[in-house]
Amino acid sequence: MQVDPVNETASEERRQWLSILAKAQPDEVSAAWDTLAQPPAYSALRAPETGLVLVRGRMGGAGDAFNMGEMTVTRAAVRLESGETGIGYVAGRDRRHAELAAAVDAMMQAPALRPVVEGAVVAKLARAQAERRDTTARKAAATKVDFFTMVRTRGPQ
Amino acid sequence: MAYVSVKGGEKAITHAHQWLAEDRRGDPGVSELEVAQVREQLSLAVDRVMSEGSCYDRDLAALAIKQARGDLPEAIFLLRAYRTTLPRFGASLPVETEAMAVRRRVSAAFKDIPGGQVLGPTFDYTHRLLDFALAAEGGVAPEPAPQAEEPQAYPMPNIASVFRHEDLLEHDVRADEGPEPYDLTREPMKFPADRDQRLQALARGDEGFLLSLAYSSQRGWGSTHPLCGEIRMGEVAVEFVPDELGFAIEIGEVTLTECTMLSGFAGSAERPPQYTRGYGLTFGHCERKAMSMAIVDRALRHREVGEQADAPVQDEEFVLYHSDNVEASGFVQHLKLPHYVDFQADLQLIRRLRKEHFERRAALKEAAE
């Protein structure tokens, strides 16, 4: 895997928003997209396609890889009228989820369009995910065991 | 012997399938089960079907359960069949379970494991009394689960990292530059099997079979004297490198259950005494399966620690060739399909043998008289 060091920061940013788009619920992405006043027109570079990704684990948890099983993934690629291209790779079989993820990815790379989606879609989805994660982490913490030591009572000396 | 092929049964088969559809629906006076209800309310059945169907997709697994009328091995078969219709985009980077957003994590071996004992949504400590409140119609939604003021901190160190500096637990070997891991869906079983091949087979393996093997090991048939080092369940991000990008992106999250079993090792001339580990990893929340897998994984590593191998759980050909319930079910259940010709051939043989038997007896009797 070759990463151009100049573009590394840009890639890291892109990694972030692609992750947020992929981890969002399909209906959340759709609802956020529908709030855009003027969604840009785009054409499909790659029509949404559902396939499998082979999920790997690590032997013992931290060792070399083994193949544990597959997951369904849907991918799409779009081009905006202004020329930017975007891709979507999302778990599951929701075609619109993948297509909208690709459209948002393309918009995030277009300086004129980024402000349109950054808050209304990407940040909104990120907040929802952070809230869900926080709720889960609080529920988990509420089931943490508090150990206490039983005080031994000795009989009369 | 003349071989006569027969045809027929189309109408009977069609009618049988119509009856099956009617029986699947059950009493029409009872409202129909929605796939989303299966997904949300029979979630552990969904987890098992995804795990052994070797395909993570909650909706597909729920649909398979509905279609199979709740027959889980049948649902697993449906999911395995469906996955063959999809192209494979590639393989993910290995999931990092230490980074898991943990919902449950307990260690039976080490009370003071950093991060604490987090029980999560568990059946443990329930009294296993039937709850008739669940049978009441129009039941009220349960109270939301309590939330702590402070969220659980992630990542949560695992049992291996806790003892890493002391070398008390064996380390995971990580070469990273090694060959691609063995893929049973593309390559046939080979023996002797390496651990990557074994773990893939166990991850797809039948929970009941692995549970019985693990139990047999505990009862002394190839015992590894395991302690449960850690069980954790929660969400892990899956990273994948799309060809278009050339760098890894997260494509979603999966729920996983992981188990590490610890077994003491007295040491040898080369290796100091330390704990060895068995490993289990499943899709979804499949704790019984992950624990069984970890015990069986450790038992199958007998060569590495020079253990005598004489029990079924230590025999990798026995374990790996019989752990897949789609294969096992197919071979056992094919016996109900027409074997008319086999039976006809058998009948002729038995008739001839019986005739010879009685002729011999008659001759002996005559000779005796």
Side-chain angles (χ1 to χ4, degrees), chain B residues 200-365:
Chain B
Q200 186 184 14
L202 298 178
R204 302 157 61 85
D206 182 75
E207 177 176 314
F209 181 70
L210 297 187
L211 174 67
S212 294
L213 281 174
Y215 182 44
S216 73
S217 168
Q218 278 183 291
R219 292 195 62 253
W221 298 64
S223 180
T224 60
H225 305 283
L227 277 174
C228 186
E230 181 181 303
I231 295 169
R232 60 169 59 196
M233 182 276 292
E235 282 63 49
V236 176
V238 180
E239 285 190 284
F240 178 71
V241 182
D243 292 337
E244 306 94 308
L245 289 182
F247 57 84
I249 56 168
E250 291 178 354
I251 55 172
E253 278 182 324
V254 290
T255 302
L256 299 178
T257 305
E258 182 187 54
C259 175
T260 295
M261 289 283 176
L262 307 179
S263 296
F265 169 57
S268 63
E270 296 81 34
R271 278 178 74 163
Q274 66 176 178
Y275 279 102
T276 56
R277 299 188 289 138
Y279 188 65
L281 185 66
T282 75
F283 283 149
H285 190 183
C286 297
E287 208 159 294
R288 194 184 297 116
K289 161 82 179 269
M291 294 178 77
S292 304
M293 179 174 169
I295 291 172
V296 175
D297 169 54
R298 174 58 189 78
L300 288 172
R301 296 179 63 205
H302 57 85
R303 275 194 299 269
E304 295 172 50
V305 286
E307 282 165 350
Q308 193 186 343
D310 47 17
V313 71
Q314 297 164 310
D315 182 333
E316 64 182 17
E317 288 199 39
F318 178 80
V319 173
L320 300 194
Y321 270 137
H322 303 117
S323 59
D324 190 289
N325 61 23
V326 176
E327 284 173 16
S329 172
F331 201 53
V332 169
Q333 292 207 73
H334 98 282
L335 287 175
K336 68 192 172 187
L337 299 175
H339 280 64
Y340 306 143
V341 176
D342 302 55
F343 185 61
Q344 206 62 43
D346 263 359
L347 265 185
Q348 285 185 4
L349 178 66
I350 300 270
R351 281 198 183 113
R352 183 166 59 80
L353 292 175
R354 281 174 64 86
K355 188 163 163 263
E356 287 167 7
H357 169 83
F358 288 118
E359 280 169 3
R360 263 197 316 275
R361 287 266 301 253
L364 278 175
K365 207 171 169 190

Side-chain angles (χ1 to χ4, degrees), chain A residues 139-156:
Chain A
K139 286 182 185 171
T143 66
K144 191 179 293 188
V145 179
D146 286 323
F147 287 104
F148 52 90
T149 308
M150 304 288 278
V151 179
R152 280 189 206 174
T153 48
R154 289 162 191 261

